[in-house]
Amino acid sequence: MMKLKILRGVNLVAMDRNWTSDDSSDPYCEVYVNKMRIGRTPVQYQTLDPVWGGPMSTYEFEGNENDTMITIKIFDYDALKADDPMGQVSFRASDVLDKTAKGYPNTWLPVKPTNECECSGKLEVRVMRATGSTSKVSRPALRQSAVVALSSGPKLEKHNTTDL
């Protein structure tokens, strides 16, 4: 069992052009382990230097550390249109665990472009071996699944209350 914590980003690309203030983004991350999505961080509004690091940005997962590939995709949240990709970081869990064993608990990773985006900056992450946990999927992933299940359920019809 391993644990990934997304701590923060710095100098991310500005996706929202503002006329009255500095350009910014509303970044969040989607987390994939061996190509399977296990969670999503909260959105950090109007910043190029987001700070996460809390329990909603910590993910537990199973896997062999030498074979486990982690990909963190960064997006700019947009309320009225599709979210914009801001790049990604990909790494083997063992590479970050090796740095942790040498006394560097956190690792900075450069953000690389995806096919359809420009990008800049880097992410700070921590990968640890989880101890004493029986959970197979991260709590944020479970909450996300519950929200999807609830939102995809049957729609309630509107009733006319004027006849009551």
Side-chain angles (χ1 to χ4, degrees):
M1 186 70 91
M2 289 179 275
K3 222 183 242 192
L4 166 70
K5 182 175 265 198
I6 302 174
L7 299 166
R8 61 185 169 146
V10 295
N11 299 323
L12 299 181
V13 65
M15 301 300 290
D16 300 330
R17 307 294 178 212
N18 298 310
W19 295 100
T20 58
S21 63
D22 291 336
D23 293 344
S24 66
S25 291
D26 304 314
Y28 69 90
C29 299
E30 289 184 351
V31 181
Y32 296 82
V33 173
N34 295 329
K35 298 183 180 181
M36 185 177 93
R37 183 172 177 231
I38 65 166
R40 173 184 156 165
T41 66
V43 175
Q44 300 296 309
Y45 294 95
Q46 297 182 346
T47 183
L48 302 179
D49 302 313
V51 176
W52 290 287
M56 291 299 293
S57 302
T58 303
Y59 308 91
E60 288 186 0
F61 54 92
E62 289 186 13
N64 176 330
E65 61 193 55
N66 293 319
D67 297 330
T68 300
M69 281 300 297
I70 299 170
T71 299
I72 303 169
K73 296 180 179 183
I74 309 163
F75 293 92
D76 172 54
Y77 172 79
D78 288 315
L80 301 176
K81 58 183 181 137
D83 295 348
D84 301 311
M86 296 174 62
Q88 69 180 29
V89 298
S90 293
F91 57 95
R92 190 170 309 283
S94 59
D95 294 341
V96 175
L97 282 169
D98 287 346
K99 291 180 183 177
T100 302
K102 293 177 183 171
Y104 303 103
N106 303 337
T107 301
W108 286 98
L109 301 163
V111 177
K112 303 214 169 151
T114 57
N115 294 341
E116 65 279 351
C117 79
E118 58 178 279
C119 70
S120 67
K122 52 189 175 177
L123 285 183
E124 183 181 25
V125 301
R126 180 182 302 160
V127 177
M128 307 157 274
R129 289 177 186 86
T131 56
S133 176
T134 58
S135 168
K136 291 188 179 181
V137 180
S138 68
R139 278 191 182 172
L142 291 174
R143 277 192 206 112
Q144 192 81 19
S145 307
V147 169
V148 169
L150 289 173
S151 64
S152 62
K155 303 281 186 226
L156 297 176
E157 293 181 26
K158 291 184 179 180
H159 295 282
N160 186 352
T161 56
T162 58
D163 295 336
L164 297 175

